[in-house]
Amino acid sequence: MPRIRIRYLNERVEKLSYSDGKSDWIDLRAAENVEMKAGDFRLIPLGVVMELPKGYEAHVVPRSSTYKNFGIIQTNHMGVIDESYCGDNDQWYFPAYALRDTQIQEGDRICQFRIMEHQPALEFEEVESMGNKDRGGIGSTGRK
């Protein structure tokens, strides 16, 4: 089992854990109170520094309820943190854009992450034709 070293920068925020067997994603929480007005951008501190195992990266995305509860979206839509981002001051952040005025309290669950192995090295081969049957292009799934 891969081991992740973690440093908590805010001892008041709940420690990381799986959500009672409901998912293999792990929730991350705001490490401070944040007030945002519609149109504001803010890097919301998550209060953790982690050292991921070699060959792994973390994928960070909003929780399904983040927009409904807080009116924010993640500006890069999915964050990728690789194993080199592991210094004592390499805190994880959630890059948020507010679509309405909002308040996020310290400890609120605003995003989640999972770790994935790096993609293997790929080789691209240029061809004149794919030689496969066409599906019909974009939006073609579900057509009769």
Side-chain angles (χ1 to χ4, degrees):
M1 174 183 320
R3 192 173 213 69
I4 297 177
R5 293 179 3 139
I6 186 167
R7 178 174 175 232
Y8 290 97
L9 302 174
N10 180 334
E11 292 300 323
R12 294 180 306 276
V13 173
E14 189 176 316
K15 305 286 190 239
L16 300 186
S17 65
Y18 287 104
S19 297
D20 301 326
K22 296 177 185 174
S23 172
D24 61 353
W25 290 78
I26 299 169
D27 289 340
L28 293 162
R29 299 168 183 273
E32 63 186 40
N33 294 332
V34 174
E35 185 173 331
M36 297 176 73
K37 300 290 184 196
D40 285 352
F41 168 78
R42 175 86 186 268
L43 289 173
I44 300 174
L46 299 172
V48 294
V49 173
M50 291 187 231
E51 182 179 359
L52 301 176
K54 296 293 180 219
Y56 285 83
E57 62 194 23
H59 294 185
V60 181
V61 298
R63 297 181 74 243
S64 61
S65 61
T66 298
Y67 179 75
K68 176 182 67 91
N69 290 340
F70 305 109
I72 59 173
I73 58 174
Q74 186 173 353
T75 57
N76 56 352
H77 303 290
M78 183 182 98
V80 178
I81 300 171
D82 69 33
E83 76 269 22
S84 71
Y85 191 71
C86 60
D88 280 335
N89 295 305
D90 289 337
Q91 178 171 200
W92 290 21
Y93 290 88
F94 182 80
Y97 181 76
L99 295 167
R100 65 175 187 252
D101 293 357
T102 190
Q103 290 188 350
I104 299 163
Q105 301 304 312
E106 177 184 81
D108 282 345
R109 296 179 300 162
I110 58 171
C111 58
Q112 57 191 337
F113 81 99
R114 71 183 317 169
I115 66 167
M116 305 288 292
E117 285 189 81
H118 288 202
Q119 177 172 288
L122 303 172
E123 181 180 327
F124 295 95
E125 175 187 356
E126 189 173 346
V127 298
E128 292 294 322
S129 170
M130 299 309 287
N132 301 317
K133 181 181 176 199
D134 285 336
R135 287 188 35 195
I138 293 175
S140 63
T141 58
R143 285 184 19 188
K144 293 184 179 193

